[in-house]
């Protein structure tokens, strides 16, 4: 099953700073069930145990950097211990899934009903087309306020952080899930009317008035449907493997 995920989103597509792939466990483990999630913490491991899943497939890696000790001092260390104690393997598909065709940004575009979705900044890695962001067309142009409302509804968010509302219809939409402000200028250059991402730095909002509609919906919220990609890849390549989308919300940010 790991090979199926890596065929869909090959590890060479990940960024140099990332740590996608096998995090905890043995490669030859027979899978009793796979719990699919965005983040891995102790509560996710508890859910995997409760639902008889000995594999967790996450978007964000449990291990970004090497551990110098494994104790009970941090959440990551406790999570590793719990996973090992209960023979739960952890696999993460992060920026390789962000950059893959059909990956995270394509899923966001699907939820918005965009058409003609394609990379707007692309690269070739080992002969594979990849890219950090995608662009597509709305089925029909929308006023900027209606566009923001449509995005909020599609992703069930309480609020969106936007710049001044665009005084022209929104048709072309650029997307980069997660922390995507590094692609904002490329989105403008590509002719996008709007740019959706999960988080942006404060100063990035300046200077884009009436150039592009910025719509920031939250890191977790933008990538929340990634588990559906895992589910579909596993169902196609390993139909006998039982999959469960996690019920535990791992978003650490509260809107009060």
């Amino acid at each position: 099953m790991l090979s199926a995920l890596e065929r869909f989103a090959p590890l060479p597509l990940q960024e140099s700073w990332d740590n996608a792939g096998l995090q905890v466990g043995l490669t030859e483990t027979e899978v009793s069930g796979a719990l699919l999630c965005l983040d891995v913490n102790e509560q996710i491991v508890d859910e995997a145990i409760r639902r008889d899943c000995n594999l967790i497939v996450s978007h964000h890696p449990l291990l970004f950097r090497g551990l110098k000790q494994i104790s009970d001092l941090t959440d990551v260390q406790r999570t590793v211990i719990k996973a090992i104690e209960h023979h739960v393997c952890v696999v993460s598909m992060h920026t390789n899934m962000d950059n893959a065709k059909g990956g995270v940004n394509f899923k966001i575009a699907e939820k918005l009903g965009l058409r003609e979705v394609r990379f707007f900044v692309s690269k070739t890695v080992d002969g594979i087309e990849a890219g950090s962001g995608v662009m597509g067309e709305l089925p029909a142009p929308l006023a900027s306020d209606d566009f923001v409302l449509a995005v909020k509804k599609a992703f069930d968010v309480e609020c969106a952080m936007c710049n001044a509302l665009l005084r022209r219809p929104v048709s072309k939409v650029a997307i980069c899930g997660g922390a995507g402000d590094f692609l904002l200028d490329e989105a403008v250059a590509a002719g996008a009317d709007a740019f959706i991402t999960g988080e942006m730095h404060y100063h990035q909002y300046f200077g884009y008035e009436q150039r592009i509609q910025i719509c920031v919906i939250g890191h977790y919220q933008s990538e929340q449907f990634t588990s559906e990609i895992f589910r579909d890849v596993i169902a196609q390549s390993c139909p006998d493997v039982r999959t469960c989308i996690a019920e535990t919300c791992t978003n650490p940010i509260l809107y009060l």
Side-chain angles (χ1 to χ4, degrees), residues 53-64:
C53 294
N54 65 346
L55 173 65
I56 293 170
V57 180
S58 72
H59 182 44
H60 296 144
L62 172 61
L63 303 174
F64 268 110

Side-chain angles (χ1 to χ4, degrees), residues 102-121:
V104 174
N105 296 310
F106 286 85
K107 176 58 71 171
I108 296 171
E110 175 191 315
K111 294 296 180 179
L112 292 169
L114 299 189
R115 300 172 178 174
E116 299 180 22
V117 180
R118 68 276 188 194
F119 295 118
F120 67 90
V121 177

Side-chain angles (χ1 to χ4, degrees), residues 132-152:
S132 300
V134 303
M135 181 184 292
E137 306 273 348
L138 289 168
L142 289 174
S144 56
D145 53 348
D146 290 333
F147 168 74
V148 173
L149 288 173
V151 173
K152 289 175 61 178

Side-chain angles (χ1 to χ4, degrees), residues 165-177:
L165 290 177
L166 204 64
R167 292 193 296 270
R168 68 171 189 269
V170 173
S171 295
K172 294 182 179 179
V173 181
I175 295 167
C176 183

Side-chain angles (χ1 to χ4, degrees), residues 1 8 20 36 39 44 63-64 72 110 117 149 191 216 221:
M1 194 181 72
F8 184 88
L36 316 176
D39 311 288
I44 286 288
L63 303 174
F64 268 110
D72 61 351
E110 175 191 315
V117 180
L149 288 173
V216 179
Q221 290 87 341

Side-chain angles (χ1 to χ4, degrees), residues 31-129:
V31 179
S32 63
L35 184 70
L36 316 176
C37 59
L38 193 65
D39 311 288
V40 186
N41 58 19
E42 290 185 88
Q43 292 71 38
I44 286 288
V45 177
D46 288 337
E47 181 176 346
I49 295 166
R50 185 175 70 252
R51 301 179 74 175
D52 192 28
C53 294
N54 65 346
L55 173 65
I56 293 170
V57 180
S58 72
H59 182 44
H60 296 144
L62 172 61
L63 303 174
F64 268 110
R65 302 169 186 86
L67 296 177
K68 294 188 177 180
Q69 64 176 354
I70 301 178
S71 67
D72 61 351
L73 291 180
T74 69
D75 179 63
V76 170
Q77 293 178 37
R78 291 190 297 271
T79 301
V80 170
I81 290 173
K82 181 171 287 190
I84 292 173
E85 284 181 339
H86 293 274
H87 305 287
V88 175
C89 298
V90 179
V91 169
S92 301
M93 299 279 112
H94 191 212
T95 53
N96 54 320
M97 189 61 75
D98 289 329
N99 292 332
K101 191 170 185 178
V104 174
N105 296 310
F106 286 85
K107 176 58 71 171
I108 296 171
E110 175 191 315
K111 294 296 180 179
L112 292 169
L114 299 189
R115 300 172 178 174
E116 299 180 22
V117 180
R118 68 276 188 194
F119 295 118
F120 67 90
V121 177
S122 63
K123 56 188 175 182
T124 301
V125 180
D126 292 349
I128 303 169
E129 184 187 13

